[in-house]
Amino acid sequence: MAISQLELTAMTKSNNLTEKFGICKYISEENNSRLKSIMYPKKFTADSYIFWDGDQTEYLYYVLSGRVKLIKSTEEGKDMMMSILQKGDLIMEMDGFQVSNHNFSAVVIEDAEIGVIQKKDLEILLQRHGDFALEFMSWMGLMHRITQSKFRDLLMYGKPGALSSTLIRMCNSFGVACEDGIRLDIKLTNTELAEIIGATRESVNRMLSELKSEGTITVKNGQIIVQRLSHLKEKCNCPTFPVCPIEICRM
C-alpha cells in the first residue's frame, strides 16, 4: 500500500524544515556567525570518537558536515544510542558551564567536519550579547523537550511503539519523499536500531518483519522505505492534536 498523497505532501514540506535542524534554526544569522567565529574546524573519519564517556566537558562540538551518534555504554558492555546528529547540531552536556564529565560518547557515523568550541569562549560570547543568550536558552529548552519525548515513547508504548516512534523520527530527520513513500536516507543495522530502543536485535528483526508483512515498510538497497506513516503513528499513539512539532519529533 503506497503512502497517501496527504502524507507525501506533509513529508515534502518537512524536508524543507529539516534543512534547518539544529541550533542554527534558533539563533539569528548574526549570532550564528558569532558562534562560528569562536570555533576551529577539525576533521574526523567514520567510526572515530570525538570524545569518550567520562572525558571532561571542556569543549562543545558543532557539526559542520557528516553525522554523529551519541551512545551510552553500560557496565555490561551494551550500548544504547541516544541521538543521531547532523549538520547544524551542537553537542554539549546540559549541565551549565562548569567543567564536569561527559555522560556519553560521541562517535562519527560518516566522515565529518566538527567545529570545536571552548566553553570559556562561548561563555564570554553569551555575556556580551544578551540576544544570543536568550536564543541559546531557547535551544537548550528544545533539547530537553526532545529528550523527554524520547523517554515518553520508550517507556509508555513498549518496544513496538518505541520502534514505530523511532521510524517516525527518522522520517523527520532523514526522510526523502519518493514514489513508494518516505525513504530513510541513512543506513542503520538492526543491531543499531535495537540500541536506540533498548531491545535485542532478534526482537527488532521480528518487529520489522511484522511491519513488512503489514505493508507498513519495505527495504530497498539496505534503506527502509516507510509506506504507511499513519500506521506507525497508531502504534505509538502519536498525538493528532496538538500535533507534535517536527523540531521535537526528531532523532
Side-chain angles (χ1 to χ4, degrees), residues 177-188:
C178 64
E179 184 178 355
D180 297 325
I182 304 169
R183 176 173 55 83
L184 303 185
D185 189 26
I186 185 172
K187 291 184 178 181
L188 293 179

Side-chain angles (χ1 to χ4, degrees), residues 15-247:
N15 276 345
N16 296 330
L17 289 176
T18 58
E19 293 175 0
K20 290 203 68 177
F21 263 153
I23 191 171
C24 58
K25 183 176 174 63
Y26 296 90
I27 62 177
S28 66
E29 290 186 12
E30 183 178 12
N31 285 327
N32 193 39
S33 297
R34 287 169 177 155
L35 181 63
K36 289 184 176 180
S37 71
I38 62 171
M39 65 178 70
Y40 63 90
K42 186 175 181 181
K43 294 185 181 297
F44 292 84
T45 56
D47 300 322
S48 60
Y49 280 71
I50 299 174
F51 58 82
W52 293 79
D53 189 350
D55 286 351
Q56 282 197 329
T57 58
E58 300 176 83
Y59 305 97
L60 296 84
Y61 304 89
Y62 186 101
V63 184
L64 294 167
S65 66
R67 289 172 179 164
V68 178
K69 63 180 179 181
L70 306 183
I71 60 172
K72 178 67 178 179
S73 300
T74 66
E75 293 182 357
E76 294 78 21
K78 295 181 179 180
D79 290 334
M80 183 164 186
M81 194 185 307
M82 301 164 56
S83 298
I84 302 176
L85 305 178
Q86 54 189 321
K87 181 179 178 180
D89 282 318
L90 182 66
I91 306 170
M92 69 170 290
E93 288 282 356
M94 299 296 179
D95 58 355
F97 286 88
Q98 69 271 23
V99 176
S100 56
N101 298 95
H102 284 292
N103 289 309
F104 51 84
S105 301
V107 187
V108 175
I109 298 177
E110 56 189 42
D111 291 354
E113 185 175 21
I114 306 297
V116 182
I117 304 169
Q118 292 193 63
K119 269 192 172 182
K120 61 182 181 180
D121 290 339
L122 178 61
E123 190 171 0
I124 292 171
L125 197 61
L126 293 170
Q127 289 173 345
R128 289 179 177 175
H129 304 282
D131 60 330
F132 179 51
L134 289 173
E135 292 169 352
F136 194 83
M137 288 173 59
S138 175
W139 171 80
M140 289 185 68
L142 175 73
M143 293 300 102
H144 281 298
R145 290 183 65 190
I146 291 173
T147 301
Q148 289 170 353
S149 68
K150 286 180 180 179
F151 279 125
R152 176 201 65 198
D153 295 344
L154 287 172
L155 296 175
M156 294 183 64
Y157 305 121
K159 300 307 180 187
L163 179 60
S164 297
S165 169
T166 297
L167 292 175
I168 294 170
R169 292 175 187 276
M170 290 175 69
C171 284
N172 292 335
S173 298
F174 312 111
V176 177
C178 64
E179 184 178 355
D180 297 325
I182 304 169
R183 176 173 55 83
L184 303 185
D185 189 26
I186 185 172
K187 291 184 178 181
L188 293 179
T189 65
N190 290 0
T191 299
E192 289 173 318
L193 286 173
E195 290 174 0
I196 294 174
I197 67 173
T200 63
R201 178 177 59 83
E202 291 76 15
S203 63
V204 168
N205 291 344
R206 185 180 64 256
M207 288 186 288
L208 288 175
S209 295
E210 291 175 356
L211 291 174
K212 289 178 188 176
S213 64
E214 296 166 353
T216 302
I217 67 168
T218 187
V219 179
K220 290 184 179 180
N221 300 320
Q223 291 182 313
I224 294 175
I225 297 176
V226 175
Q227 296 178 296
R228 296 173 62 194
L229 183 62
S230 58
H231 192 215
L232 291 177
K233 291 181 177 181
E234 290 172 4
K235 286 181 174 290
C236 62
N237 293 313
C238 189
T240 55
F241 184 82
V243 177
C244 186
I246 191 172
E247 292 85 357

